[in-house]
Amino acid sequence: MREEILFQVDTPYRHAQPVKGWYFGTPGEKSLAVMGALRGNEIQQMYICARLIRALEKLEKDGLLAEDCGILVVPCANQVSMNVGRRFWAADNTDINRMFPGYDQGESTQRIAARVFDALQGYRYGVHLTSFYLAGDLLPHVRIMETGYQQGEEALAFGLPYVLLRTPQPYDTTTLNYNWQIWETQAFSLYTHETECIDPADARQAVDAILRFLAVQGLSRQKVLAPAVPPVLFREGELHSVISAAGGLLLPVRWPGDRVRPGDVLGEIVDPCTCTVLETLRADCSGQVFFLHHAQLISGHEVAFRILPEG
C-alpha cells in the first residue's frame, strides 16, 4: 500500500486541503480506480472507501492481488464542503460532479474536477461511490451510462441485486461516470442506501461488491461466492414514478424493497398543522419499491416513490 497526496485544494481562510489516494498492487498498473465523496455530505461513500482500503491492504499483504493489478482509492475530494456541512462547494454552491472533465484555468470546482480526472484517467475500470440527485432512500444498485462505450454485462460481476442502465441527459455529460467512459474507462456508479449517515452493513455490502468484481475480473485471487439471486438488469425508464399532487408531511407505509400491487397504499401526505389527509399515494403497478423520498416535508409535483415493475 502506498499513500500519496494527489493534489491540494487551496482555501481562502484555511490551510490547503490535501486530496489523498491509496494505491495497491504493481506500480504503474492502472486496473481499477475508486472515487468516493465528491460532495460534502457523502459521509457513507467516504466510509466505504475507508473500509475498502483496509480490505485491500489485507489482500495485498496476503499476496492475493494479481501481478498485473493496480488499484487507486480516493476517499474524498471535497473536504472543504464536508468540514462546513454543505453538500455542494461551500463558496458558490456548485457541484463538482457536474464539472467533468474539468478546466484547470476555470472556477474552483472546475479546477478540482480537472485534477481529480487527471488522477483517475487511464484506468481500465472506474467505480464512483456516489449519491442520488434526489434526496431519498433507494435500493443498492450499480448504474451505467449508455454512452455507446459501456459494457453492461461487466456490471453483473459486482453481484448487487440490480444493474440500472441510464440514457444520458445533457446534464449527465459533465459527470465523472460519463467522462470516464468517453476516455475509455469502463465506469460504474455504485449507489447504496445511505449518504449522510454511516450504515456499516450497507458499507460492507458495497465493499464486498467491489472485492467480488476484482475477483471475477481476475484482478485478485480471493475466492468469492456467486450471488444468491441473479442480478436484475433494467433501464431507468422502466421505473414507475409516483408523483405527489399536494405538499405537506409525507408519512410512508411502504419502504424500498417492499413488494406492492396496483392500488396498494404507499403513504399519505398530511397537512403539517392539522394532520388532515391531503393525498393518499398508491401503487400503479405490481413490483418492488425502488426509491422513497427522504425528507418528511414534500412539495407538490415531486417524486415520492419509484417502483420497479415485475417482469
Side-chain angles (χ1 to χ4, degrees):
M1 180 179 74
R2 185 175 74 250
E3 176 185 343
E4 60 184 55
I5 295 177
L6 303 176
F7 60 90
Q8 295 198 106
V9 178
D10 294 327
T11 60
Y13 305 113
R14 298 188 180 190
H15 294 297
Q17 299 287 313
V19 173
K20 294 183 178 181
W22 278 259
Y23 187 88
F24 303 86
T26 304
E29 294 291 340
K30 290 189 172 186
S31 305
L32 172 69
V34 180
M35 182 67 235
L38 287 175
R39 294 159 176 151
N41 69 334
E42 293 178 340
I43 309 299
Q44 175 76 344
Q45 286 67 32
M46 181 174 64
Y47 175 67
I48 291 170
C49 284
R51 292 192 56 156
L52 178 62
I53 287 170
R54 295 289 298 274
L56 290 173
E57 183 180 15
K58 186 176 187 306
L59 282 182
E60 187 177 53
K61 182 179 178 181
D62 294 343
L64 294 178
L65 293 180
E67 293 181 1
D68 58 349
C69 174
I71 303 168
L72 175 66
V73 182
V74 184
C76 181
N78 196 355
Q79 296 96 320
V80 175
S81 297
M82 196 168 283
N83 286 341
V84 297
R86 298 283 297 274
R87 175 169 170 82
F88 298 133
W89 187 247
D92 59 7
N93 205 39
T94 53
D95 185 357
I96 294 174
N97 199 36
R98 292 292 185 271
M99 296 292 169
F100 286 96
Y103 175 48
D104 60 7
Q105 301 298 315
E107 300 295 331
S108 297
T109 44
Q110 292 177 308
R111 295 198 303 272
I112 294 170
R115 293 173 181 175
V116 169
F117 199 61
D118 183 63
L120 301 179
Q121 199 172 348
Y123 282 81
R124 181 181 176 189
Y125 300 108
V127 174
H128 185 194
L129 295 159
T130 187
S131 57
F132 199 41
Y133 72 97
L134 295 175
D137 186 12
L138 70 169
L139 293 179
H141 66 280
V142 179
R143 183 173 297 228
I144 304 173
M145 295 281 188
E146 292 189 286
T147 61
Y149 300 97
Q150 81 283 350
Q151 296 181 17
E153 65 280 359
E154 291 192 332
L156 303 176
F158 288 96
L160 289 176
Y162 303 98
V163 175
L164 185 154
L165 299 176
R166 175 177 172 81
T167 300
Q169 301 301 310
Y171 55 81
D172 289 317
T173 60
T174 54
T175 62
L176 174 59
N177 185 306
Y178 185 93
N179 282 276
W180 245 342
Q181 288 199 43
I182 296 301
W183 269 265
E184 300 181 342
T185 291
Q186 287 299 313
F188 312 93
S189 293
L190 200 157
Y191 288 81
T192 58
H193 280 294
E194 293 293 343
T195 299
E196 299 181 11
C197 301
I198 290 176
D199 184 330
D202 198 38
R204 182 171 58 251
Q205 182 183 30
V207 171
D208 288 346
I210 295 173
L211 295 180
R212 187 178 189 280
F213 180 84
L214 289 173
V216 172
Q217 300 300 336
L219 299 174
S220 81
R221 291 184 287 272
Q222 185 183 30
K223 293 182 179 180
V224 294
L225 299 175
V229 179
V232 176
L233 191 149
F234 67 97
R235 285 181 166 77
E236 188 175 32
E238 298 176 36
L239 292 171
H240 286 218
S241 294
V242 178
I243 309 294
S244 61
L249 294 173
L250 173 61
L251 304 179
V253 296
R254 298 285 187 167
W255 310 91
D258 287 351
R259 299 276 179 184
V260 295
R261 295 187 297 179
D264 284 354
V265 175
L266 302 173
E268 293 179 335
I269 298 175
V270 304
D271 187 288
C273 298
T274 67
C275 267
T276 302
V277 176
L278 302 176
E279 183 182 6
T280 299
L281 300 168
R282 298 181 182 274
D284 64 349
C285 65
S286 294
Q288 193 171 24
V289 177
F290 193 82
F291 170 83
L292 165 64
H293 180 85
H294 182 69
Q296 295 286 191
L297 279 172
I298 189 170
S299 301
H301 307 290
E302 280 199 73
V303 177
F305 294 86
R306 279 182 169 174
I307 301 172
L308 177 62
E310 292 179 344

